[in-house]
Amino acid sequence: MIIKINDYSDVPIYMQLRNQIVMGISSGELAPGEQLPTVRALALEIGINTMTVSKAYQILKSEGYILTDRKNGARIRPEIKKESELSEENKNELMRIISEAKISKIDRESFIRTIEDMWK
Amino acid sequence: MIIKINDYSDVPIYMQLRNQIVMGISSGELAPGEQLPTVRALALEIGINTMTVSKAYQILKSEGYILTDRKNGARIRPEIKKESELSEENKNELMRIISEAKISKIDRESFIRTIEDMWK
Amino acid sequence: MIIKINDYSDVPIYMQLRNQIVMGISSGELAPGEQLPTVRALALEIGINTMTVSKAYQILKSEGYILTDRKNGARIRPEIKKESELSEENKNELMRIISEAKISKIDRESFIRTIEDMWK
Amino acid sequence: MIIKINDYSDVPIYMQLRNQIVMGISSGELAPGEQLPTVRALALEIGINTMTVSKAYQILKSEGYILTDRKNGARIRPEIKKESELSEENKNELMRIISEAKISKIDRESFIRTIEDMWK
DNA sequence: GTGGTCTAGACCACG
DNA sequence: GTGGTCTAGACCACG
């Protein structure tokens, strides 16, 4: 899986990394149980600090996306358990985006079409 | 209009303020041409520094949401002009949220229903 | 002569007024010796504060563009005397604008054509 | 690059700083990709507050002149993208300066020569 | 009375 | 070590 970091984004690097791994899981590119690179290897590959990768892994672990053990490193959790609801943060973000879309005179139908395209 | 600041959020106060005003405009709670509180009044009301309010207003101004004049303070721009497209940032955020929703086993239909509810 | 004030400009109203009168003189719309409206009349016509008009007149007077006397009010100075050189401020502004034009990849010829058009 | 702040100018310090950096980019004194001093270092050097430098940097960033990243601080954007047109504000300023030049009996040819000299 | 500017100083997230 | 955020407080230009 290819990770792309934008050094100039407002989104911190560890969060960009976390997001891309989550998206990889969601798309199926990262399979349940799949081994992730070691912190060191991934840091080297992307050209970022090991601390940054470590932080991303810790967040993914605390969110229940990955498992880590000393022997095998990190891997995608075979059975990810999540509430079948959006988090409050995500609801807020959605509301903000929808508000901006409405002000931009994007109509509801084309907005939903965008969502449907993204869902695939 | 009631502004609520979450001190524990990662989102900076000025941005929370900016977001809530944008949502107020979108919902119609803040009408085109409507007067906003003065920087000082709003700072006092929310219990934050005038600079922080000022920063929010300046962002809103630079984004074309409000107008400020020396005499009357700030008001909602009567004709807000926006590109009828989602920004790249908003698209990225949507993509992230959708990915998380899919992992949470939220099905597409109920996700879209959520959007439709929020759109109203 | 029609004066147009933009309440939302960063340029203070008194300065907008001053600028428009200077441009009126330059274009010939305001002739040497021509009477200007009284402070009160102009304030009423434009819908601004008399203090603001007064401030504009004072600046124009100190710059040698107009004459005021208690009896006749203000009028355009019959013989405006100016150094036949740009002021330091105007040179600085020109330099700034040229710098921005160059970065915008505007070519020198089209920039000068713009100047020549404006000069007419 | 030497930055000179005029304490007595009407132009705010952060804007003087912004202008001088833009002029530095335009003249080539600041090369694409070149590192800028840190906010703290520049504040110390000029003898102003870090917030003021920070404000200048944020404006330059929002205008697309510079990039900032958390690791390395600010640098000149390698590829600055600008509309190849003068802004309305710059056109207005040009018009004002030309008007004043005409009143000062500066003739068109020498005015354009001044522009050409500045362009180099 | 309004927003705009600036300072000194603090704390924080990021890497 | 870097920029980002926030505060308290001051002063100023404008109208």
Side-chain angles (χ1 to χ4, degrees), chain A residues 7-13 47-48, chain D residues 61 67-73 75:
Chain A
D7 284 339
Y8 304 110
S9 166
D10 285 340
V11 183
I13 296 175
I48 62 177
Chain D
K61 185 180 171 185
L67 294 168
T68 60
D69 79 77
R70 261 169 286 262
K71 208 165 39 193
N72 303 308
R75 45 193 272 269

Side-chain angles (χ1 to χ4, degrees), chain A residues 23-53:
Chain A
M23 291 192 264
I25 295 169
S26 181
S27 71
E29 201 174 349
L30 294 170
E34 182 170 338
Q35 204 66 30
L36 288 174
T38 64
V39 164
R40 184 182 296 267
L42 189 50
L44 199 70
E45 186 189 327
I46 313 180
I48 62 177
N49 202 303
T50 54
M51 295 285 286
T52 310
V53 178

Side-chain angles (χ1 to χ4, degrees), chain A residues 32-33 64 76-82:
Chain A
I76 307 298
R77 197 164 174 146
E79 300 240 330
I80 295 168
K81 280 169 194 157
K82 284 279 173 186

